[in-house]
């Protein structure tokens, strides 16, 4: 006996695609992979920099606006770096050796 979905409701207010008119800023983080320090280029005003592990746990947060961040205290692995700048949010994978 199948007890799955019996009805489907369509809401025309829902977005059905990604807005392709939105500009996507590509982060330029180097070196990546990194060991002790990273530099963020092509971002004029960094309001907030956050680094998360793969479980979503906040590992490091910097509100100084600096473009060079020391990461020597982080364990080797793969992280997600998120930068909020001028009202935009950009994310990129960061590998620490």
């Amino acid at each position: 006996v199948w007890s799955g979905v019996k009805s489907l409701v369509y809401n025309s207010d829902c977005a059905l695609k990604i807005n392709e008119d939105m500009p996507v800023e590509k982060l330029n983080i180097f070196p990546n992979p990194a060991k002790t320090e990273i530099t963020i280029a092509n971002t004029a005003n960094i309001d907030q920099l956050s680094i998360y592990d793969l479980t979503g746990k906040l590992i490091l947060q910097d509100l100084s606006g600096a473009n060079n961040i020391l990461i020597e205290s982080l364990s080797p692995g793969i992280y997600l770096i998120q930068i909020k700048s001028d009202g935009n949010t950009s994310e990129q994978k960061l590998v620490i050796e």
Side-chain angles (χ1 to χ4, degrees):
V1 174
W2 185 67
S3 62
V5 176
K6 299 189 191 279
S7 68
L8 181 64
V9 177
Y10 171 73
N11 182 347
S12 63
D13 294 331
C14 293
L16 298 177
K17 67 175 188 154
I18 296 172
N19 184 354
E20 294 175 1
D21 297 330
M22 286 176 78
V24 176
E25 181 181 343
K26 174 73 172 143
L27 289 175
N28 189 6
I29 299 171
F30 59 92
N32 193 3
K35 291 185 180 184
T36 59
E37 181 178 27
I38 57 171
T39 300
I40 298 99
N42 300 343
T43 303
N45 300 313
I46 297 174
D47 299 320
Q48 178 179 330
L49 178 139
S50 303
I51 296 178
Y52 299 90
D53 67 11
L54 292 181
T55 67
K57 179 181 175 186
L58 179 64
I59 302 299
L60 183 140
Q61 188 169 55
D62 184 84
L63 303 172
S64 71
N67 285 48
N68 295 324
I69 306 295
L70 292 175
I71 55 163
E72 57 195 1
S73 64
L74 300 181
S75 300
I78 299 173
Y79 296 86
L80 178 68
I81 184 166
Q82 180 184 71
I83 295 177
K84 294 183 180 180
S85 174
D86 298 326
N88 296 318
T89 301
S90 301
E91 297 175 342
Q92 184 174 317
K93 180 174 75 170
L94 172 65
V95 178
I96 298 178
E97 295 180 328

